[in-house]
Amino acid sequence: MPLKSLKIKILILLVLLITVVILLIFRQKENNYDYGDNISKSVKTKEEIKISLSNELDSVMFSFGIQKEWIKNTSAQNPSGWFSKEISLPNDVYAGAVVSDLIKHILQYSLIIESKEDFNPNHLVPVNLFAEIKDAGGKSEFIIANLDFIYNENLKRDAGKVCIILNDFENFEREKAEEIINNQKNLSFVMPNSFDLIDIQAIMINSECDYINCFEIGEANNYQADFRNQKDNMVNRSNNKKRMYKICNDYDKEKYLILLNPLKLNETQTEIINDLSKCRGNIFVDTVLIKIDLRNEGNIDESDFEKLIKEKTNYGLMKKAILLGINGGDYSALMNCISRMEKSGYKFYSFKEFVKRQMIE
């Protein structure tokens, strides 16, 4: 073999060997990644942590809708232990999710959690989980706290059911509106009636999202309204008939239809419902709605949304849906609010599912 060729092969082998070593080093670093690297370390002393940690963990658990009465402080299970807790859980709380949030919280203190679950072959039944909090800051680990999560099927979180129907899509950028409509399963939408928003109408139809049709009844001379007061007005009565004929022929009869009647023109409303009922069902009046318009408000954060939703729906116990008008820029805050409320036990449903559940209950 020529010397030049041998040198080339040796060089190639060295390059391959170096590459393998580098890959192994990176793999080792990945496996030993310290999840606390990106966590701001607390400046508390060990004694201060010992005093505050129990209450801090309770606060984390409260965010899951776990009630104070469900958390019992028990005798420390280890000589070195600071405290032990037995936490009773309703079946709709996943203990692993609670422990995950506890892990994130205690990383600032250089503490770790190890946990194990009871064995249960029935995957439909939640299993108890037992966790140990360890101090890994010294030369050897030692257990400082025990957390036992025990399921109790008789417990139920104090959280209700909420339905939000997003309205007024003329305030949304088209790309943002499309993103929202295509990615939402627990919200409903009002299909806009304006011809200028025909692209939004097409997105709603093609995405198979849960949309509803809303039509407003206005005064006799209100030409912006979908229907006009027809009492003692034959022209309006005729125009309303034409509008109803179009709805019966051009709109999906399976979708829910809500008549908005802010002026309480009840005689006209009754006649419209009677006529529409001849061609379709799923007709509601606006008494099923709580109307909230935030389009002219300033920036709204998730705490504002949460307070508003809880107050307006009596903490999810009121059997009404929220017809909500917001600006596109507030959508992210709304979704953060919904995620936080879902975590604490609230259920968010589309209008179709909301109505179905109200009928069952």
mmCIF file with all atom_site columns, all heavy atoms in Angstrom, residues 311-322:
data_model
loop_
_atom_site.group_PDB
_atom_site.id
_atom_site.type_symbol
_atom_site.label_atom_id
_atom_site.label_alt_id
_atom_site.label_comp_id
_atom_site.label_asym_id
_atom_site.label_entity_id
_atom_site.label_seq_id
_atom_site.pdbx_PDB_ins_code
_atom_site.Cartn_x
_atom_site.Cartn_y
_atom_site.Cartn_z
_atom_site.occupancy
_atom_site.B_iso_or_equiv
_atom_site.pdbx_formal_charge
_atom_site.auth_seq_id
_atom_site.auth_comp_id
_atom_site.auth_asym_id
_atom_site.auth_atom_id
_atom_site.pdbx_PDB_model_num
ATOM 1  N N   . GLU A 1 311 ? -66.541 36.319 37.921 1.00 0.00 ? 311 GLU A N   1
ATOM 2  C CA  . GLU A 1 311 ? -67.600 37.193 38.420 1.00 0.00 ? 311 GLU A CA  1
ATOM 3  C C   . GLU A 1 311 ? -68.854 37.102 37.565 1.00 0.00 ? 311 GLU A C   1
ATOM 4  O O   . GLU A 1 311 ? -69.971 37.017 38.085 1.00 0.00 ? 311 GLU A O   1
ATOM 5  C CB  . GLU A 1 311 ? -67.106 38.647 38.470 1.00 0.00 ? 311 GLU A CB  1
ATOM 6  C CG  . GLU A 1 311 ? -66.099 38.914 39.581 1.00 0.00 ? 311 GLU A CG  1
ATOM 7  C CD  . GLU A 1 311 ? -65.631 40.356 39.591 1.00 0.00 ? 311 GLU A CD  1
ATOM 8  O OE1 . GLU A 1 311 ? -65.943 41.104 38.636 1.00 0.00 ? 311 GLU A OE1 1
ATOM 9  O OE2 . GLU A 1 311 ? -64.942 40.750 40.564 1.00 0.00 ? 311 GLU A OE2 1
ATOM 10 N N   . LYS A 1 312 ? -68.694 37.117 36.251 1.00 0.00 ? 312 LYS A N   1
ATOM 11 C CA  . LYS A 1 312 ? -69.850 37.136 35.354 1.00 0.00 ? 312 LYS A CA  1
ATOM 12 C C   . LYS A 1 312 ? -70.599 35.810 35.314 1.00 0.00 ? 312 LYS A C   1
ATOM 13 O O   . LYS A 1 312 ? -71.805 35.783 35.049 1.00 0.00 ? 312 LYS A O   1
ATOM 14 C CB  . LYS A 1 312 ? -69.396 37.512 33.939 1.00 0.00 ? 312 LYS A CB  1
ATOM 15 C CG  . LYS A 1 312 ? -68.878 38.934 33.801 1.00 0.00 ? 312 LYS A CG  1
ATOM 16 C CD  . LYS A 1 312 ? -69.981 39.953 34.041 1.00 0.00 ? 312 LYS A CD  1
ATOM 17 C CE  . LYS A 1 312 ? -69.492 41.368 33.793 1.00 0.00 ? 312 LYS A CE  1
ATOM 18 N NZ  . LYS A 1 312 ? -70.564 42.378 34.013 1.00 0.00 ? 312 LYS A NZ  1
ATOM 19 N N   . THR A 1 313 ? -69.895 34.698 35.567 1.00 0.00 ? 313 THR A N   1
ATOM 20 C CA  . THR A 1 313 ? -70.546 33.384 35.487 1.00 0.00 ? 313 THR A CA  1
ATOM 21 C C   . THR A 1 313 ? -70.819 32.771 36.858 1.00 0.00 ? 313 THR A C   1
ATOM 22 O O   . THR A 1 313 ? -71.194 31.605 36.945 1.00 0.00 ? 313 THR A O   1
ATOM 23 C CB  . THR A 1 313 ? -69.678 32.397 34.686 1.00 0.00 ? 313 THR A CB  1
ATOM 24 O OG1 . THR A 1 313 ? -68.455 32.141 35.404 1.00 0.00 ? 313 THR A OG1 1
ATOM 25 C CG2 . THR A 1 313 ? -69.355 32.916 33.304 1.00 0.00 ? 313 THR A CG2 1
ATOM 26 N N   . ASN A 1 314 ? -70.628 33.577 37.927 1.00 0.00 ? 314 ASN A N   1
ATOM 27 C CA  . ASN A 1 314 ? -70.777 33.049 39.282 1.00 0.00 ? 314 ASN A CA  1
ATOM 28 C C   . ASN A 1 314 ? -69.896 31.824 39.462 1.00 0.00 ? 314 ASN A C   1
ATOM 29 O O   . ASN A 1 314 ? -70.348 30.760 39.873 1.00 0.00 ? 314 ASN A O   1
ATOM 30 C CB  . ASN A 1 314 ? -72.243 32.721 39.592 1.00 0.00 ? 314 ASN A CB  1
ATOM 31 C CG  . ASN A 1 314 ? -72.465 32.371 41.054 1.00 0.00 ? 314 ASN A CG  1
ATOM 32 O OD1 . ASN A 1 314 ? -71.695 32.768 41.929 1.00 0.00 ? 314 ASN A OD1 1
ATOM 33 N ND2 . ASN A 1 314 ? -73.503 31.601 41.328 1.00 0.00 ? 314 ASN A ND2 1
ATOM 34 N N   . TYR A 1 315 ? -68.648 31.988 39.117 1.00 0.00 ? 315 TYR A N   1
ATOM 35 C CA  . TYR A 1 315 ? -67.637 30.935 39.233 1.00 0.00 ? 315 TYR A CA  1
ATOM 36 C C   . TYR A 1 315 ? -68.015 29.674 38.432 1.00 0.00 ? 315 TYR A C   1
ATOM 37 O O   . TYR A 1 315 ? -67.790 28.544 38.860 1.00 0.00 ? 315 TYR A O   1
ATOM 38 C CB  . TYR A 1 315 ? -67.384 30.595 40.700 1.00 0.00 ? 315 TYR A CB  1
ATOM 39 C CG  . TYR A 1 315 ? -66.681 31.710 41.437 1.00 0.00 ? 315 TYR A CG  1
ATOM 40 C CD1 . TYR A 1 315 ? -67.403 32.775 41.950 1.00 0.00 ? 315 TYR A CD1 1
ATOM 41 C CD2 . TYR A 1 315 ? -65.297 31.722 41.585 1.00 0.00 ? 315 TYR A CD2 1
ATOM 42 C CE1 . TYR A 1 315 ? -66.765 33.834 42.597 1.00 0.00 ? 315 TYR A CE1 1
ATOM 43 C CE2 . TYR A 1 315 ? -64.652 32.759 42.238 1.00 0.00 ? 315 TYR A CE2 1
ATOM 44 C CZ  . TYR A 1 315 ? -65.384 33.810 42.737 1.00 0.00 ? 315 TYR A CZ  1
ATOM 45 O OH  . TYR A 1 315 ? -64.744 34.859 43.369 1.00 0.00 ? 315 TYR A OH  1
ATOM 46 N N   . GLY A 1 316 ? -68.574 29.912 37.251 1.00 0.00 ? 316 GLY A N   1
ATOM 47 C CA  . GLY A 1 316 ? -68.883 28.805 36.347 1.00 0.00 ? 316 GLY A CA  1
ATOM 48 C C   . GLY A 1 316 ? -70.150 28.046 36.696 1.00 0.00 ? 316 GLY A C   1
ATOM 49 O O   . GLY A 1 316 ? -70.423 27.008 36.096 1.00 0.00 ? 316 GLY A O   1
ATOM 50 N N   . LEU A 1 317 ? -70.936 28.562 37.642 1.00 0.00 ? 317 LEU A N   1
ATOM 51 C CA  . LEU A 1 317 ? -72.168 27.880 38.050 1.00 0.00 ? 317 LEU A CA  1
ATOM 52 C C   . LEU A 1 317 ? -73.390 28.392 37.294 1.00 0.00 ? 317 LEU A C   1
ATOM 53 O O   . LEU A 1 317 ? -74.432 27.741 37.272 1.00 0.00 ? 317 LEU A O   1
ATOM 54 C CB  . LEU A 1 317 ? -72.389 28.049 39.559 1.00 0.00 ? 317 LEU A CB  1
ATOM 55 C CG  . LEU A 1 317 ? -71.275 27.477 40.453 1.00 0.00 ? 317 LEU A CG  1
ATOM 56 C CD1 . LEU A 1 317 ? -71.591 27.750 41.917 1.00 0.00 ? 317 LEU A CD1 1
ATOM 57 C CD2 . LEU A 1 317 ? -71.095 25.984 40.211 1.00 0.00 ? 317 LEU A CD2 1
ATOM 58 N N   . MET A 1 318 ? -73.293 29.573 36.688 1.00 0.00 ? 318 MET A N   1
ATOM 59 C CA  . MET A 1 318 ? -74.403 30.132 35.928 1.00 0.00 ? 318 MET A CA  1
ATOM 60 C C   . MET A 1 318 ? -74.496 29.445 34.568 1.00 0.00 ? 318 MET A C   1
ATOM 61 O O   . MET A 1 318 ? -73.496 29.299 33.861 1.00 0.00 ? 318 MET A O   1
ATOM 62 C CB  . MET A 1 318 ? -74.209 31.635 35.746 1.00 0.00 ? 318 MET A CB  1
ATOM 63 C CG  . MET A 1 318 ? -75.420 32.348 35.145 1.00 0.00 ? 318 MET A CG  1
ATOM 64 S SD  . MET A 1 318 ? -75.111 34.134 35.016 1.00 0.00 ? 318 MET A SD  1
ATOM 65 C CE  . MET A 1 318 ? -75.004 34.593 36.745 1.00 0.00 ? 318 MET A CE  1
ATOM 66 N N   . LYS A 1 319 ? -75.681 29.027 34.198 1.00 0.00 ? 319 LYS A N   1
ATOM 67 C CA  . LYS A 1 319 ? -75.858 28.264 32.961 1.00 0.00 ? 319 LYS A CA  1
ATOM 68 C C   . LYS A 1 319 ? -76.060 29.196 31.770 1.00 0.00 ? 319 LYS A C   1
ATOM 69 O O   . LYS A 1 319 ? -77.061 29.143 31.061 1.00 0.00 ? 319 LYS A O   1
ATOM 70 C CB  . LYS A 1 319 ? -77.023 27.293 33.104 1.00 0.00 ? 319 LYS A CB  1
ATOM 71 C CG  . LYS A 1 319 ? -76.778 26.229 34.176 1.00 0.00 ? 319 LYS A CG  1
ATOM 72 C CD  . LYS A 1 319 ? -77.894 25.218 34.254 1.00 0.00 ? 319 LYS A CD  1
ATOM 73 C CE  . LYS A 1 319 ? -77.585 24.149 35.289 1.00 0.00 ? 319 LYS A CE  1
ATOM 74 N NZ  . LYS A 1 319 ? -78.635 23.111 35.364 1.00 0.00 ? 319 LYS A NZ  1
ATOM 75 N N   . LYS A 1 320 ? -75.068 30.066 31.583 1.00 0.00 ? 320 LYS A N   1
ATOM 76 C CA  . LYS A 1 320 ? -75.081 30.977 30.445 1.00 0.00 ? 320 LYS A CA  1
ATOM 77 C C   . LYS A 1 320 ? -73.701 31.005 29.811 1.00 0.00 ? 320 LYS A C   1
ATOM 78 O O   . LYS A 1 320 ? -72.691 30.823 30.486 1.00 0.00 ? 320 LYS A O   1
ATOM 79 C CB  . LYS A 1 320 ? -75.473 32.394 30.891 1.00 0.00 ? 320 LYS A CB  1
ATOM 80 C CG  . LYS A 1 320 ? -76.929 32.523 31.310 1.00 0.00 ? 320 LYS A CG  1
ATOM 81 C CD  . LYS A 1 320 ? -77.298 33.985 31.516 1.00 0.00 ? 320 LYS A CD  1
ATOM 82 C CE  . LYS A 1 320 ? -78.773 34.127 31.866 1.00 0.00 ? 320 LYS A CE  1
ATOM 83 N NZ  . LYS A 1 320 ? -79.190 35.544 31.928 1.00 0.00 ? 320 LYS A NZ  1
ATOM 84 N N   . ALA A 1 321 ? -73.677 31.227 28.505 1.00 0.00 ? 321 ALA A N   1
ATOM 85 C CA  . ALA A 1 321 ? -72.417 31.331 27.776 1.00 0.00 ? 321 ALA A CA  1
ATOM 86 C C   . ALA A 1 321 ? -72.002 32.791 27.694 1.00 0.00 ? 321 ALA A C   1
ATOM 87 O O   . ALA A 1 321 ? -72.847 33.695 27.727 1.00 0.00 ? 321 ALA A O   1
ATOM 88 C CB  . ALA A 1 321 ? -72.569 30.748 26.377 1.00 0.00 ? 321 ALA A CB  1
ATOM 89 N N   . ILE A 1 322 ? -70.703 33.023 27.603 1.00 0.00 ? 322 ILE A N   1
ATOM 90 C CA  . ILE A 1 322 ? -70.172 34.385 27.469 1.00 0.00 ? 322 ILE A CA  1
ATOM 91 C C   . ILE A 1 322 ? -69.982 34.708 25.989 1.00 0.00 ? 322 ILE A C   1
ATOM 92 O O   . ILE A 1 322 ? -69.248 34.014 25.280 1.00 0.00 ? 322 ILE A O   1
ATOM 93 C CB  . ILE A 1 322 ? -68.826 34.533 28.194 1.00 0.00 ? 322 ILE A CB  1
ATOM 94 C CG1 . ILE A 1 322 ? -68.993 34.330 29.700 1.00 0.00 ? 322 ILE A CG1 1
ATOM 95 C CG2 . ILE A 1 322 ? -68.219 35.905 27.923 1.00 0.00 ? 322 ILE A CG2 1
ATOM 96 C CD1 . ILE A 1 322 ? -67.686 34.383 30.475 1.00 0.00 ? 322 ILE A CD1 1
#
